[in-house]
Structure formats: C-alpha cells, structure tokens
Amino acid sequence: MADPFSIVAGTVGLLDVCFRIGNYLYDAKKGANRVDEGIEALSHQIEAIQSVTRSIKNVFDNDLAYTPDTLPNNFNGIQSLWAEVAENVTSCQATLAELFALLKLIVGKEHATVLSKLDGLRRYLRKQAKEDEFGALRHRLSDYHHALQTLLTSVNIVITKNVQSTSDRSFAQISEEIRHFRLSLESQIASLRTSNTSSANATLRRTLELAEAVIPVASPNLYFQVPQSARSIFTGRRSELARLAGSLLPPKSSHRPHLQKRFVIFGLGGSGKTELCRKFAQENRHCFWGIFWIDASSDDSATQSLVRVARAANIEPPTEFSAKGWLANASSPWLLVIDSADNLREPIERYIPEGEMGCVIVTTRDPALRTIGMPGRNYLHFTELNDEEANDLLLRAADEPAPYTSTVRHLASEITKKLGCLPLALVHAGKAIVTGICRMHDYLTSFDDHWDRVRAIRSRRGSSAQVQEDAYTIIYSTYEITYRGLVTRMTPASEDALDLLKVFSFFHHENIRIEIFLQAAINPEAERNQQAKETEHERLSHVDMRPKYWTESLVSMGRRCYLFLVQLGVRSVLPPVLRSADSGRFDKYRLQTALQELSQMSLITHSLASDSYSMHPLIHTWVRERPESIAEQAVWCQAAATTLAHSILLPPLANTEADEDFRRDLLPHVDHVRKCGGTIQNRIASNQKRRRRPWPLLRPQMDRSRILESAKFAFIYAQCGLWHDAEILLTIGFDYLSKVNGMQDPTTIRVSLFLIVIYRQLDKLQDAAALQGRVLEACIALWGEDDLHSLEVTDALGVIRWQQGRFREAGTLHERAFKGFAKVKGLHDPDTLRAKGNIGRILAKNCKYDEATKIHLETATELTQLLGPSHQDTLSAMDDLAMSYLERSSGSATAGEDLPRAHTIILDVVERRKKKLGKDHPLTLWAIANLARVENARGLCNEAESRFRAALSVAERNLGPTHIGTLYGKTYLGYVLLCQERYSEAERLLVWVVKTFQESRRNHPDQVVTMSFLLKCYVALGQDGDAAKTRESMEQSLEAIGGSGHPREKVLFDVRIKNGKEDDNLTEDGHGGGATQTSRN
C-alpha cells in the first residue's frame, strides 16, 4: 500500500494550499468586474477540490490509516489506487502552487483588495497578458479534480466490497451502495475519458486505466467460481433466461428468501444447458454474494468441486462437508450450479447444501431429476433452438458480415435443419466455415462425407435411445469435419494441436491449466539435478562403511541388469511439443501456438480468469473414443499420465503453498486418467478372451518411471486426504521395489517412509510400526546409526510406539534420536529440540511431571527463539508445555501457579493458530479442546462445555463424526458432563464414543481413556454390572496395546470424580499428542 504518511501529509498540504488561495480569492473578488468572473469560477473550482480532498482524507483515516490488516495489499488494486491518489494529490498541490504564484503576479503581491479603478485596470491588463498560462493551469486543475473524484469513488467501491464479509449491513444495503458507486464511477469515467482525449497528462491516463479496472469488480458478488464465461456469440434463449430469473431471483420488495430455491434444466447433450447457466450467472452476478459451480459429471468430480469451494473460502480442512456447512450457514444469497448430473452413483441431494439463502440450478440429461426442483413447473426441457435463433447462431459463429443476404440466410437454414438446430453442432459448423476448412455452400457435402464413419464408430460403442443417438451423431459429425481439417493442414502447429487434443481427452474436461504442460516440459531437468545430488550424498555416505560381501555385490549387479533389460525399448510417450528441442530448451511458443490452434477451432475453450482450458463433455468423450484401435487409446492415455507425472515435483523440490495449490488442482485429472487406463486394460483383457488363439497379453512393465508416476499420484491423493487411494498406489510400488531392490535401497526407503505416513493417517499403527522398524534396520545398514536419515526414522518410530501406548520402547527410541541429533547437529537444532520434546511426553506418561515440565519449558523457549513464536513447531511445543502444567497441577502444591500458566499459554496458542491457520483448522480445534480442558480443571465447567460444543460442531462438519479429533473432543466433553454430575448425558455420549472406537479403531489408546470416564459414570449411577464389564474391557485393551503394568494403570482405574477438576491427571490422550506430532514428523 502507498505510504500512509505520504497520503496524510499530501492531503493536509493540499487542503492548506486550497485554504490560502481561497482567502486570497475572497479579497480579489472586490476587483474589477471582468476580473471577478474568472475569480468567481476559480473560487468554485478550489472549493470543489477542497471537498474531494477532505473526503479522501476521511476515507483514508477511517478505513485504512494504521490498520494495514483491514485490506490485503494489492487486493482488487487497492494498493495501486492509493498510490495513484498520492500521485494526484502531489501533482494537484504543485499546480495550485503555480496558480497561486500567477495570481499574485496578476493581482499583486502585497494585497488582493482593489483600491482604485486604476488598480483594477492594471490587474486586468496583467491578466490579459497571462491568459494562456492561466487557462492551462485551470485546465490541469480541472483534470486533477476529476481524477481525484474518480479515484475516490473507485476506492470506495473496493473498500465496500472488501469489508463486505465483516460488515453488519445487509447484503441488500451493500448491494445498493455498490450500485450507487458504480453508476457514479461510470459517469466519472465518461467525463474523464473526454478530458483525456484533449490532454497529454500521463497521470490522467493512469487514473482512467485504474478506474476502468475497478468496474468489473463493482458488484456485491464476492465469489464467482464459474469455470468460463458464456460465449460472445450466445444467441436466443431469452425466454428461458426470464424463466430462470423469475424462479430464482428474489422480488425487489423482498430482502430475504424464506426457502431454498431449486431449478432443473434437462435435455440432450449439446443443447446449450451449460451455456444458459453461464449466461444467467454473468447477467445476475450482482444479485448473489457467491456463485459456485459443481462439475457433477461424476461423484469424484462433484466432491472435488465442493472441495474447491471450501478452499476459496479458506476453510481448513477443505472438504465436501465443510463447504456445504459454510454455504448452509451463509447469511447472504448464493447460487450453486450443479452441472452435467447425468451419471452420479450417489443421490444428487448429497451435493446440495442446506440453507434458506441458496438457489440451486441442476443441469442433466435425465428428465427424472426434474422432481428435485421446487413445487410447480420449476424446470426447463431443453431441446433445439428455433429456426431463427439457430440461423443467427450459425452465422455469428461463421463470422458472416451483417446484414445477411437472402442467399446466405438460405444456406444457413439448410445447414441448421441438417444439424437439428443443436447449439453445439452449430458452433462447430461455424468454426469449420470461418477457419476455411469448408465453405458455407459446400458444408453439407463435407458433413455427409463424415456421417457414415461416425455412425460406424458409434455403433461399436453401442447406442442409446434413437433420438439421442441421432443427435450425438450430428454433433460428432460436425466435430469430425473440424478434426479432419486439422489433419489435412499438415503443419507443425496442427500436428502439435492434434497431439495435445488427444492428451486433453484423457484429462478431466475442466480446469486444464497451462502450467501442467509447462511444468511437464521443464521438471525432468530439475529432477535429474536433484538425483545427481542425492547420488553424490549416498556415495559420500558409504566412504566409511564396510565393503560389500561378494554375494551382496552379485545381487546388486543382478538387479541392475534386470532394470536395464526392463527399460530396453522403452521410449518416452510425452508428446513432441512438450519435449526439449535440440538446443536443450523448451519451446514455449510452440506450445502456445498449438493451444491457439485448438482454441480457434472451438475444440477447447480458454478462461482468462483462471488461465485454464476446458472441453465440452461430448467433444471430450468423442476425442478419447475416436481411435478405432484400443492400442492407440492406450498410447494416448499413457501420454496423458506421463504428462501429469512430469508436471508434479515432490518435496523438497516443490514445497511452497503455490505448489500445494497446483497439486490439488491436478486431482481430477489424475483420477480421470487412471480410470481411463483401467477401462482400457479391461477392454484389452475382454478382447483377449474372445480370441480363439489369444495373443500374449502385454501389461505395463514396472520400472523406475512407473514407480515414480505411482508415487507422485499417491502424493496428490494424500495431499487431498484420499488416504486409501494413496495406499493402493504406494503398496504397488513398495512391493515391486522391496522385491527387486530390497529394503536397503534409498528409493525403497523413501517409498516406505511415505507409505508409513499413509498408514498412520489410516490409523494402521501396527502396519506403520512394523514397516518403520524394517526401514530403520535398512537405514542403519545403509548409512549407519548416526546418519540423519536413520535418526529421523528412529524418532518417527518412537512417535508410533507412543501412539500405540508402548511408552517404554518409545522412550528408548526418542533418547537414541536425541543423542544422535545432538551429536551431529548440536543441542540447539530444531530436530534435536523436537526429539527432546518427545522425551518430555514420555516422562509425562510415566508421571514424572516435574521433569516433563522442565523439558517442555526449555524446548518451547528455544524453539521460540529459533523459529519464532508463531511457527507450528513452536506452537506444538507450547501446547505440550500447557498440558504439562495441567497434568502437574492435580494434587500438586504448585496447582495455584500451574493452572493459570497453562491457561495463559494455551490461550495464546489458540489465538496464534486462529490467526495463522484459521479458526476451523484441525490444529486450532485441537488447541481449543485443550483450552476447554484447562478451563474445566479451573472449575469453569460451563465455559468448558460451551467451548467443546462449538469446536465439535465445526469438527463434525469438517472432519466427520468419527474422525479421531472429533472423538477426542467428545471424550472430554463427556468428562466435563461428569464433573457437572450430569451422569445420564455423559453416559450416552461416552457409550457412543466407545462403540465408535470399537468399530473403527479398536484398542486405540484414546479408547481406554474414554472407557475410564465411562467406568466412573457407571459407578456414579450405581450400575455395577456395566462398571464391571467396562473394567474388564479396559484390562483387555490395555493388554492389547502393551500398557499393562504401566504407572498410569492405577489412575485409569481410579473411579473418583473431582468436580471441576481433571481427575488424577487423566490425560491419556494417546492421539492427542499424536495429532500434534504428526504435523511435525
């Protein structure tokens, strides 16, 4: 943002100059009549500048001065606007200073009052001599006045829009205010544009550019997630748009709808359903606080669309549930378009949020879905355009100059009849004509030539209803003309375009970002450089290791030979346009030229807003299934998969927030290409079975590139929380590597560590622990016990053992890691401190609270100094310290000091996480739960209950009711109810939590804690039989996790209840620390 001092000082200075000139002009008005006319006009001009300057100063003081967090820097151009204000204020002040000097020259330096007629005459003569200079200065002053007015209105629009979400005013009020500002701005821009044509003022031109850039955002709409704009040649459908508006838009007299409104549009593919929704969204953007788009072509894409909604709202974690909950609770009107809901397995209602402020449009080919609309005929049956609209659309798409001749209209009519007046077919026909593939008079001949081939391909696929079959054959035939036109060009650009088109067809049909292709072209070089560094590190690490036995060398040689043979004959399936040229440099211009070819033919559509491409679903399907050979389909499917894999860089090469966002956007494409690959393999296997003499079935060979591809795709799934999909892919790679390379191989180890993370997220602690143990043995054998790789794996294995409740073994591992890190990296390195903090947790589990508190205090203090107070590792350490004080407080002489300390620390952690991660982030919710525990221990049971319930409502919505964090919160809410002697409520809640643990996470350490609370509840209620069964189950669970005989066992079985206190350090939050630890390791 512009320097606040410069703006404040500038406005104050300008006001001062205006004030002095105003006083001077007041006296000068007493001069001769001919001078008075000019003086009077100038006086009004100065007053106008004073007024707009005061307004600018007030806006700046009230909304921006000394509150830089109110508006993000450069959001909607606010930084540029204020910089331009400062520039104009300075220039205006300088112009006024020149004008003041000229006035003194004309009127006189001593005084402005006219003393005689002779004085008046002299002044008149001086003014006449300076008339041109005086007029030029006044003209410049007028320009600056208009510029400042325009900038003030622009700033008001941006401020009103940006603070909209936190304002107490209603959507209708803000809407009206922005509308008023927009009308003013449009008028001011028109006036400024007139001035600009007669002015060489560069400042004026910049102001005009900035103001024009504000016009598109001069709307109360905050979110506009429409994948692409309606076509500029959109034609007709006015009555349908009016039907939509009448059904969905609130009456002007109403400020708030009382029921969610739904509308269904059904009909043939290619009839313009999606295009109508885009047009409606564009024309009525100002009526909705948010407009969101759900791609419902599959359940996975619908879910991911909702995840994108959550990410746009900065909700953590971004999930389908959090997005729907956010919309359901919105207080301003929103529109949700659920597009292409044709093949959903789940009921469509799953993807529709609750909330009375919502309007929902569903597009589908299935007429049965019209029943989900509101009562009455709140649906549209989409068919073809009428003849006149169809002719106009074709002629506009063909870029025929108007007015149209009768011959042209006749030819257009013949074509539209042949194409069934289907909009998509008409657009492609027009593009074929405008690009010269054919002409208007011979288009039908070309169409008939391709009809038979399309019918043959369609028959191999199997047809649906005859009406739909004929309609789609028409559309595909128009596409075939365009496709063949590209083929016959035989230029490098057209060949590249065809290759890209085939790759596009195996991606998801929306949000195909150009970065995918750019990264796919340049990433391999970065990966080769990283591989060379790692190879050198491994070579140096083996210098002091023992020499290999001859048997080990023989096995290693055999593996290398096998890998060499596997890769023989393997060639890259990356399209030539994405490969480096002979010079070794990637030709970006070649890629852009190919994409432009496809865009010009309307085979793909470019969105300027997101700089991404999309394809119509019908064209997307046709390109993919057009090849007559299943082998050709397999080649292009693998080309698409290779392109995606090359576009993905794994950490540490790509570890920024922008890299994470890019990878998240790849999920629909990874999903689609894998599903297509599975379909192709199934078709190959089916064809194989039908042959009398089956050919050898060639399946994709596993090699380094395949394993890397699987690992990268697994990383995408893991980052998006799809842990099961990630596990499947990683398991394939791990099984292959462990057999071919063995465990003592760097690649095998890296894949294994990744798989361990997945196991932990799936709560497969036994599998994670077993594999972590194998990895540790391999690391020690490969690099030695004191190597950093080995130490990191050692510490991570300790965390898993801790989560399993095997505290003694966990302590040994953490001690070993701590000593190793201290030796290699020193006592004050973050890795060393993290291992030290883990030791503190083990001490707390062994009831050594003083030692644990001392370690956590030292760790938190040093991490604060090293990483800062808001770093996630620091906040985790502070969380541990607060819980350590809480654990030590019960029955301790220091309770009076420890509980206030715990409260102060955990409250600070909550506030910092809210600011850094957001109030709904899982780690923030975790800290809130711990804060509630501290409040409960201080006797603030009601406050603790309120805090737990608020956090749990978010956790259930965002994480799900059975997530481990949600179960943790419910466990301790049950304990709060126990402390309040609300035993029946506590029993119901705790029974449900125990049952959920048994169904999904049997023998999890947190389950034992929950059962201990339930045991106290049964004792308090006098239900001895249930108490005995619960005690027995606890003993079995403790035995299963290896906790039997632990110092805390007696605490768990203690049935006393201390009202308003944590009972005897019941903090066996096995996952509690585990959740925080997971974020570290």
Side-chain angles (χ1 to χ4, degrees), residues 309-613:
V309 171
R311 285 211 300 267
N314 293 320
I315 301 173
E316 291 291 343
T319 66
E320 168 192 347
F321 305 106
S322 62
K324 291 193 295 183
W326 178 65
L327 287 175
N329 293 310
S331 57
S332 298
W334 50 266
L335 172 67
L336 184 70
V337 179
I338 302 180
D339 189 34
S340 301
D342 306 319
N343 301 301
L344 294 175
R345 297 186 302 273
E346 297 286 337
I348 193 172
E349 287 80 3
R350 169 181 169 176
Y351 305 108
I352 300 178
E354 299 293 332
E356 62 180 18
M357 301 304 293
C359 295
V360 180
I361 303 176
V362 177
T363 73
T364 180
R365 301 178 200 170
D366 184 2
L369 288 183
R370 67 179 183 271
T371 58
I372 70 169
M374 297 178 295
R377 292 182 60 82
N378 284 290
Y379 59 84
L380 280 172
H381 181 197
F382 247 49
T383 55
E384 66 279 358
L385 292 168
N386 64 46
D387 292 342
E388 184 178 351
E389 292 175 342
N391 292 342
D392 286 345
L393 177 58
L394 174 65
L395 292 171
R396 292 180 68 184
D399 199 23
E400 284 288 335
Y404 309 126
T405 65
S406 58
T407 302
V408 168
R409 282 198 170 276
H410 175 73
L411 290 172
S413 179
E414 292 297 315
I415 294 172
T416 56
K417 287 178 183 177
K418 186 75 171 182
L419 300 185
C421 296
L422 289 169
L424 185 61
L426 296 173
V427 168
H428 279 277
K431 287 299 179 180
I433 294 168
V434 77
T435 54
I437 293 174
C438 55
R439 291 166 294 180
M440 185 81 74
H441 69 269
D442 63 5
Y443 179 85
L444 290 179
T445 302
S446 298
F447 180 84
D448 291 336
D449 289 343
H450 294 92
W451 176 269
D452 291 338
R453 182 181 187 280
V454 173
R455 294 276 298 192
I457 295 175
R458 294 282 292 162
S459 65
R460 288 200 301 272
R461 291 180 55 220
S463 64
S464 54
Q466 186 62 40
V467 174
Q468 287 195 3
E469 176 68 12
D470 290 342
Y472 296 153
T473 303
I474 288 171
I475 294 171
Y476 292 153
S477 297
T478 61
Y479 155 72
E480 187 68 17
I481 294 172
T482 307
Y483 183 91
R484 295 304 303 172
L486 273 177
V487 172
T488 55
R489 285 185 184 180
M490 298 180 66
T491 64
S494 65
E495 291 175 359
D496 288 341
L498 288 170
D499 286 349
L500 285 178
L501 189 66
K502 293 168 186 175
V503 171
F504 268 53
S505 71
F506 287 94
F507 289 173
H508 188 267
H509 65 89
E510 285 188 341
N511 196 31
I512 304 173
R513 294 171 56 180
I514 192 171
E515 284 91 343
I516 296 174
F517 303 101
L518 297 177
Q519 295 299 322
I522 64 177
N523 284 349
E525 180 66 23
E527 290 179 325
R528 284 192 290 271
N529 293 338
Q530 179 68 15
Q531 180 66 32
K533 291 179 182 178
E534 292 179 357
T535 301
E536 179 65 12
H537 170 76
E538 290 163 12
R539 185 186 67 79
L540 294 175
S541 299
H542 282 77
V543 170
D544 297 326
M545 299 294 289
R546 66 167 177 80
K548 289 185 177 180
Y549 296 122
W550 71 269
T551 52
E552 293 176 323
S553 300
L554 186 62
V555 170
S556 178
M557 185 189 305
R559 288 172 184 157
R560 290 198 296 272
C561 290
Y562 172 77
L563 292 174
F564 174 76
L565 292 172
V566 165
Q567 294 179 16
L568 277 179
V570 174
R571 65 181 182 86
S572 172
V573 292
L574 203 64
V577 67
L578 298 181
R579 300 180 205 161
S580 297
D582 294 336
S583 63
R585 295 182 178 179
F586 168 62
D587 190 349
K588 183 178 178 181
Y589 176 75
R590 178 179 174 182
L591 171 64
Q592 292 172 330
T593 303
L595 291 170
Q596 188 176 7
E597 286 267 327
L598 296 176
S599 295
Q600 289 174 345
M601 307 297 289
S602 288
L603 294 171
I604 62 175
T605 305
H606 182 244
S607 169
L608 287 172
S610 60
D611 195 19
S612 64
Y613 295 87

Side-chain angles (χ1 to χ4, degrees), residues 730-805:
L730 281 178
T731 300
I732 294 171
F734 171 74
D735 289 345
Y736 172 82
L737 287 170
S738 58
K739 290 176 182 177
V740 175
N741 291 6
M743 283 300 300
Q744 294 180 27
D745 173 76
T747 305
T748 308
I749 290 172
R750 281 194 290 270
V751 172
S752 301
L753 291 173
F754 190 3
L755 185 56
I756 289 164
V757 172
I758 304 301
Y759 282 154
R760 288 172 60 184
Q761 292 295 334
L762 292 171
D763 276 339
K764 295 185 174 181
L765 294 182
Q766 300 294 342
D767 293 335
L771 183 55
Q772 190 91 44
R774 293 176 63 189
V775 172
L776 181 57
E777 291 176 2
C779 285
I780 292 173
L782 191 61
W783 293 304
E785 194 173 75
D786 293 332
D787 184 84
L788 289 178
H789 295 87
S790 303
L791 295 174
E792 289 170 2
V793 174
T794 300
D795 202 37
L797 179 58
V799 173
I800 294 177
R801 295 301 187 209
W802 180 78
Q803 288 179 309
Q804 291 177 304

Side-chain angles (χ1 to χ4, degrees), residues 1042-1061:
S1044 182
H1046 188 271
R1048 287 224 168 166
E1049 186 174 359
K1050 63 177 182 179
V1051 174
L1052 288 167
F1053 287 102
D1054 188 341
V1055 296
R1056 292 173 296 161
I1057 303 170
K1058 296 182 179 180
N1059 192 23
K1061 294 273 187 175

